[in-house]
Amino acid sequence: MPMLMPTVMAAFRFLGLQGIIALGVFIFYEGVPLVKSIPHVEYVPVISDLAFGRVDRAYQDGKLSERLAWQEKQRRAEIKLAADRRAAQETIDRIEADYWAKQTDQAIQLADLEKALQAERAQNADISACHSGVSKRVRDQLAPIGR
């Protein structure tokens, strides 16, 4: 320790008052680079203040706040996406239900028309004296095609 004191005093004399103040400001803002490389130094309160200057602390705080802001934006985007998906699925379900309702109505109408046609044919079979020019066999073969 006795040898360190003359060295420190020689450095103070070499730097002068302005140099010492400038060095102190530099250490206050930037920290001591060699101390930063010591593992787990951030857990020791006084040394971590000396090792990591104001700039590093502000950088870490900014990094944390930006990460939190980004996570919040991500969360809101996911909520909006889920709401959009639910709305789209509801629209699809409604369209599908309308489609099947129309298909059912058309099937019922078609069945009613076929029954009415069969009843009319049965009623006209006895009354009709004229026959169409198409035989029954040809008519029955063409019926599924031309409905």
Side-chain angles (χ1 to χ4, degrees), residues 75-140:
R75 188 183 66 81
R76 287 183 183 179
E78 288 172 359
I79 289 171
K80 185 181 180 302
L81 181 64
D84 291 346
R85 282 184 181 160
R86 276 194 304 274
Q89 187 61 46
E90 288 172 2
T91 303
I92 290 169
D93 292 343
R94 183 176 29 82
I95 291 171
E96 184 181 14
D98 290 345
Y99 172 79
W100 287 115
K102 286 179 184 177
Q103 288 293 326
T104 304
D105 290 343
Q106 287 178 354
I108 291 171
Q109 288 176 356
L110 186 60
D112 290 344
L113 288 173
E114 285 181 357
K115 284 181 187 176
L117 184 61
Q118 285 177 356
E120 184 180 331
R121 281 185 185 161
Q123 184 181 19
N124 289 340
D126 298 333
I127 300 172
S128 172
C130 343
H131 296 285
S132 65
V134 179
S135 70
K136 183 177 182 327
R137 184 178 67 82
V138 172
R139 187 184 68 223
D140 290 344

Side-chain angles (χ1 to χ4, degrees), residues 1-75:
M1 201 64 161
M3 234 168 157
L4 181 66
M5 198 59 167
T7 309
V8 171
M9 292 307 288
F12 284 158
R13 267 186 300 218
F14 176 73
L15 292 175
L17 183 61
Q18 292 88 1
I20 292 173
I21 291 173
L23 184 63
V25 169
F26 179 78
I27 289 174
F28 176 73
Y29 278 104
E30 296 295 327
V32 180
L34 295 176
V35 179
K36 289 181 193 178
S37 62
I38 299 172
H40 308 293
V41 75
E42 64 269 5
Y43 300 117
V44 181
V46 175
I47 297 177
S48 70
D49 289 341
L50 206 89
F52 302 100
R54 251 181 121 170
V55 174
D56 279 339
R57 284 192 299 258
Y59 174 76
Q60 294 301 327
D61 292 343
K63 194 163 111 176
L64 176 65
S65 67
E66 284 298 315
R67 186 176 71 231
L68 293 175
W70 180 81
Q71 286 174 344
E72 180 65 21
K73 285 181 183 178
Q74 273 304 106
R75 188 183 66 81

